[in-house]
DNA sequence: AACGTAAGCGGACTATACCCCGCATGGCGG
DNA sequence: CCGCCATGCGGGGTATAGTCCGCTTACGTT
């Protein structure tokens, strides 16, 4: 008989039409978002506008929030690339603390530029497969923390806490109006606050 | 003419029947939650079960998430009392750092005991009046931080970050199954992680 | 005690997230 | 080149969050 594997890596490579539709849906979603704001981006509207069925939209994203998560993933991919292969201090080559600070500042900026998407990507229940629910952000922070050899700290939990301290303020505790009113100033404040937090945590 | 004030303190003291209904709704909600879990706690069901109109339920809580927020508020009230007038280190009388640690551990316990409520209390959009959206948790942390006279730190933002690090991890980054499986062990880990974080941040 | 008014209430109405299941189609073995 | 079948697609169906507006009721005033 053939092999009888217990766990496949990728179970199946995703059919060609499915990939095409996914890309088309994301493009349409981005367009609708730019034109009419997040409230008008409904599942029905996205299906109709893209010329596909409602079922397809749900199959791809699972949830309304899933659309926004996918959009945010796409946006974050650019940052990930700069982190992995860009110039220091964001990219490799700088001391870990500097990279942490740079990463936080960059992410603050990115989130402030996409507050609405990020907020709508939030959802209490997550009926998704629930696996691989470890954001890239958290893994990157964890990796840099490890290089610092902080003694007596649970790196996994510390990374989770710091990730929360980076996302939480924007998504949960800073109200929408506070963001729009203070504009670019809040970016500076949040960036400095992040730097201060990192330097305190990483002090010897 | 009479006084023409620009801003009243409490504009109106809430009518008696309204208060009665609020209490009744919360009691019914708690009961339904205990009986059939959070998914069955719908606005319609709550209205019917409590013998009130749907409009009333929405007037009181504004949002489905609002119900869970109200329930969580009620649960947190007990903690608030112990914080304000209980024995140290949670209550007044202990050094600020000890109080911060004690508070975090207590809150971790409380959130772990009410994970589902907390998760459903989450909601991306907040169509609520949006004022006074500063949780008691955050204000308490901020108050204790001030007593520490950390130099060069933005206390408001640091308090927000620490609050996020306390709530966020549980609500967002620890998946539901991780909580139920690891059980009491995770409470210890999170408590210790919080203590470590606080001690790092508050180091001189 | 009667009245006027503003707050509260009810439940029909709408919009939309999400489910379901029969049909179409892409990709692979013969 | 042809047929198999799993994967993906479609769009109608359901449940429920949230809105609206006319009626009711508590409570301060005369």
């Amino acid at each position: 008989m053939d092999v009888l594997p217990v766990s496949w890596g990728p179970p199946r490579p995703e059919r060609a039409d499915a990939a095409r539709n996914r890309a088309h849906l994301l493009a349409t979603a981005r367009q609708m978002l730019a034109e009419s704001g997040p409230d008008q981006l409904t599942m029905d509207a996205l299906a109709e506008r893209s010329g596909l069925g409602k079922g397809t939209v749900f199959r791809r994203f699972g949830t309304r929030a899933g659309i926004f998560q996918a959009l945010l993933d796409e946006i974050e991919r650019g940052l990930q690339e700069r982190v992995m292969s860009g110039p220091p201090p964001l990219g490799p080559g700088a001391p870990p603390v500097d990279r942490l600070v740079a990463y936080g500042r960059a992410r603050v900026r990115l989130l402030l530029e996409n507050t609405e998407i990020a907020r709508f990507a939030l959802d209490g229940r997550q009926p998704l497969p629930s696996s691989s629910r470890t954001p890239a952000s958290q893994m990157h922070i964890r990796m840099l923390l490890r290089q610092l050899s902080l003694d007596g700290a649970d790196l996994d939990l510390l990374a989770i806490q710091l990730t929360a301290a980076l996302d939480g303020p924007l998504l949960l505790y800073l109200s929408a109006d506070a963001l729009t009113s203070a504009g670019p100033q809040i970016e500076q404040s949040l960036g400095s606050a992040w730097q201060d937090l990192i330097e305190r945590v990483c002090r010897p």
Side-chain angles (χ1 to χ4, degrees), chain A:
Chain A
M1 62 173 72
D2 290 335
V3 292
L4 186 58
V6 179
S7 77
W8 303 265
R12 254 331 156 86
E14 185 179 63
R15 241 162 69 172
D17 54 347
R20 209 180 326 125
N21 283 339
R22 146 175 280 126
H24 182 218
L25 283 170
L26 278 175
T28 310
R30 225 178 301 124
Q31 197 173 333
M32 292 177 69
L33 207 51
E35 284 174 12
S36 1
D39 288 322
Q40 307 304 315
L41 182 47
T42 71
M43 301 303 251
D44 283 359
L46 176 58
E48 184 173 7
R49 172 103 177 234
S50 59
L52 294 172
K54 215 190 322 185
T56 307
V57 179
F58 275 93
R59 166 176 304 273
R60 284 279 79 98
F61 302 112
T63 281
R64 183 171 140 85
I67 295 181
F68 293 91
Q69 287 168 19
L71 287 171
L72 201 60
D73 273 8
E74 207 179 36
I75 293 171
E76 283 201 283
R77 196 149 300 139
L79 176 57
Q80 295 307 325
E81 282 168 13
R82 278 187 292 150
V83 162
M84 293 199 301
S85 57
L90 193 58
V97 172
D98 295 352
R99 293 192 73 191
L100 273 172
V101 169
Y103 180 74
R105 284 190 182 271
R107 191 135 202 287
V108 161
R109 181 185 191 88
L110 182 147
L111 283 176
L112 282 175
E113 282 169 350
N114 301 278
T115 325
E116 285 188 314
I117 294 182
R119 193 128 99 272
F120 279 94
L122 220 55
D123 189 3
R125 53 247 163 98
Q126 41 197 21
L128 296 173
S130 94
S131 68
S132 79
R133 192 66 200 112
T134 310
S137 195
Q138 183 177 320
M139 284 175 55
H140 183 57
I141 290 176
R142 190 188 180 291
M143 191 257 291
L144 291 174
L145 284 177
R146 166 172 291 172
Q147 296 178 13
L148 284 165
S149 63
L150 306 171
D151 31 70
D154 183 328
L155 289 190
D156 285 319
L157 289 181
L158 183 55
I160 290 179
Q161 287 171 327
L162 290 179
T163 308
L166 196 52
D167 291 17
L170 299 163
L171 304 185
L172 295 175
Y173 300 109
L174 292 180
S175 59
D177 27 61
L179 294 175
T180 52
S181 65
Q185 188 187 343
I186 194 76
E187 182 184 327
Q188 279 306 314
S189 308
L190 283 169
S192 302
W194 170 257
Q195 177 163 0
D196 187 57
L197 179 64
I198 289 298
E199 285 171 353
R200 286 180 184 276
V201 167
C202 299
R203 235 169 345 179

